Each structure stands twice: as structure tokens, then as C-alpha cells.
């Protein structure tokens, strides 16, 4: 999707090939040295030839991405999408929430502000639902995905929201559970500073 690329990066006296990842609110580079640049710390960002030049208080990081990718990254850094936009929620979108009781009030408010139609938490998703959001915190909860999948119809999408960077529940665990339930994973986004969201759908040939 263009948010993770192999490239060469120069920062001060350090220079290395590696992988650069454009996250929701930061740039991460892993090579012979590592960088983590939160958007909030960036003083300026510009494209010079094939390079993306990112200036912070600690210096200028130069990412050799190619002109097209550098331009796209600059735009995303300067004008990041909101969580609601990344999740595909628009006015009239029908959303069902599972596992969000007494939590994530800010997320619920954002959904409502987007003028989406929200099914009360933990009620059965309506047949014409567009998105089902299932928030989990433990591996044990992954067993519920199969039950949710059996009730899905058509192009409805299931977003699994799970803790970020935890050993007790990993992206691999979530992917495995979704695929075993007969679903196809098509997208991953940063849901919040603490959680990630993986999007699953019914394979086209089974709708």
C-alpha cells in the first residue's frame, strides 16, 4: 500500500539501507540504525528530487524513496487522515460495535459525529450492516470471530481491534483466527496509540 518501503536513509553521519514505515502518527526506519519520528516533532518536510527530507530538532533525516513515493508521504504527513476516514466510515454508514461497552467513548462520539448509524453495543448486527467492530484484549476472545463470521452477509466488513505491540495477542494470532473463520484480511490501520485494527471480509466467491 506504499506505507512500507525498502530505501536508503541518511541521518547525520549515519546512512543505511533498510525499511521505512509510514505509520498513522510517526515514521519508523529499521536498518543498521533505527529512527522513530513522531509527526508532532517534525519542523518541516519537503521533497527534493527523489528524497523526502524530514527536519526535526535532532537534525534532518533524508529518505531516498523516489519522487512519487516521497510526494505521497509528504502529503500524508502534512495532512494525515483521521481514524474515521481510515476506517471508511461516512455519513449513513451502518456500524455495529461488539466489546466496546464502557470503553472508547471518544471513538463512539467520532462515529456519531460522522453521521453514521450505530447499532447499540453488543446487539446483533443488522443484516444490512456495513461494518462490524469487534474489540478484543485476549487470545480467548478470538474464538468469537467464527460466530461473528457465520452471521456476516454480502460485503459487510469485520474490523478486529486488538492491543498493539503485545506478546499475548499478536497480529499473527488475529490473522490466523480470521482466516480460520473463512474470512480474507484486506487492510490494517492504526486504530489508536494503543490498538491496531485489521479488516476482514467474506471472499467474493462466497458472498
Amino acid at each position: 500500500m506504499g506505507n512500507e518501503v525498502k530505501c536508503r536513509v541518511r541521518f547525520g553521519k549515519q546512512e543505511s539501507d533498510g525499511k521505512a514505515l509510514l505509520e498513522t502518527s510517526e515514521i519508523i526506519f529499521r536498518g543498521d540504525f533505527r529512527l522513530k519520528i513522531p509527526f508532532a516533532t517534525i519542523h518541516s518536510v519537503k521533497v527534493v528530487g527523489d528524497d523526502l527530507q524530514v527536519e526535526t530538532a535532532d537534525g534532518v533525516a533524508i529518505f531516498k524513496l523516489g519522487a512519487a513515493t516521497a510526494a505521497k508521504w509528504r502529503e500524508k504527513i502534512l495532512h494525515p487522515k483521521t481514524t474515521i476516514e481510515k476506517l471508511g466510515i461516512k455519513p449513513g454508514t451502518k456500524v455495529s460495535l461488539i466489546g466496546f461497552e464502557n470503553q472508547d467513548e471518544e471513538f463512539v462520539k467520532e462515529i456519531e459525529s460522522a453521521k453514521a448509524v450505530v447499532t447499540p453495543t453488543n446487539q446483533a448486527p443488522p443484516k444490512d450492516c456495513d461494518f462490524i467492530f469487534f474489540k478484543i484484549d485476549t487470545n480467548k476472545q478470538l474464538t468469537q470471530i467464527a460466530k461473528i463470521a457465520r452471521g456476516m452477509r454480502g460485503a459487510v466488513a469485520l474490523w478486529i481491534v486488538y492491543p498493539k505491540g503485545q506478546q499475548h495477542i499478536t497480529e499473527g494470532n488475529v490473522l490466523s483466527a480470521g482466516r480460520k473463520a473463512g474470512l480474507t484480511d484486506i487492510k490494517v490501520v492504526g486504530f489508536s496509540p494503543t490498538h491496531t485494527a485489521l479488516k476482514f471480509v467474506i471472499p467474493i466467491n462466497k458472498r
Side-chain angles (χ1 to χ4, degrees), residues 51-63:
D51 301 342
L52 180 73
Q53 297 189 1
V54 181
E55 182 182 0
T56 71
D58 296 323
V60 177
I62 300 175
F63 296 79

Side-chain angles (χ1 to χ4, degrees), residues 27-57:
I27 308 171
I28 296 173
F29 174 72
R30 299 184 180 94
D32 292 341
F33 64 94
R34 295 195 173 197
L35 283 177
K36 180 182 287 188
I37 306 175
F39 290 175
T41 68
I42 295 175
H43 292 175
S44 70
V45 56
K46 58 185 178 181
V47 178
V48 179
D50 288 335
D51 301 342
L52 180 73
Q53 297 189 1
V54 181
E55 182 182 0
T56 71

Side-chain angles (χ1 to χ4, degrees), residues 25-124:
S25 59
E26 63 188 9
I27 308 171
I28 296 173
F29 174 72
R30 299 184 180 94
D32 292 341
F33 64 94
R34 295 195 173 197
L35 283 177
K36 180 182 287 188
I37 306 175
F39 290 175
T41 68
I42 295 175
H43 292 175
S44 70
V45 56
K46 58 185 178 181
V47 178
V48 179
D50 288 335
D51 301 342
L52 180 73
Q53 297 189 1
V54 181
E55 182 182 0
T56 71
D58 296 323
V60 177
I62 300 175
F63 296 79
K64 297 184 176 298
L65 302 173
T69 299
K72 290 179 181 178
W73 279 37
R74 177 182 180 275
E75 180 65 20
K76 290 181 178 181
I77 292 168
L78 293 177
H79 307 287
K81 287 185 177 182
T82 65
T83 299
I84 295 299
E85 289 173 330
K86 290 184 295 179
L87 295 171
I89 298 173
K90 302 175 181 178
T93 300
K94 295 182 180 179
V95 176
S96 180
L97 303 177
I98 302 173
F100 284 81
E101 58 279 302
N102 301 318
Q103 300 182 52
D104 298 285
E105 292 182 3
E106 188 64 31
F107 176 57
V108 175
K109 289 179 180 178
E110 289 178 3
I111 294 176
E112 294 173 342
S113 295
K115 298 182 179 179
V117 180
V118 183
T119 300
T121 301
N122 289 339
Q123 283 192 15

Side-chain angles (χ1 to χ4, degrees), residues 114-135:
K115 298 182 179 179
V117 180
V118 183
T119 300
T121 301
N122 289 339
Q123 283 192 15
K127 293 182 180 180
D128 58 349
C129 187
D130 297 304
F131 296 120
I132 300 170
F133 286 88
F134 178 35
K135 187 173 182 182

Side-chain angles (χ1 to χ4, degrees), residues 138-152:
T138 67
N139 260 321
K140 186 176 180 180
Q141 291 172 289
L142 291 172
T143 60
Q144 299 178 47
I145 293 177
K147 180 179 179 181
I148 296 172
R150 286 195 293 271
M152 293 170 62

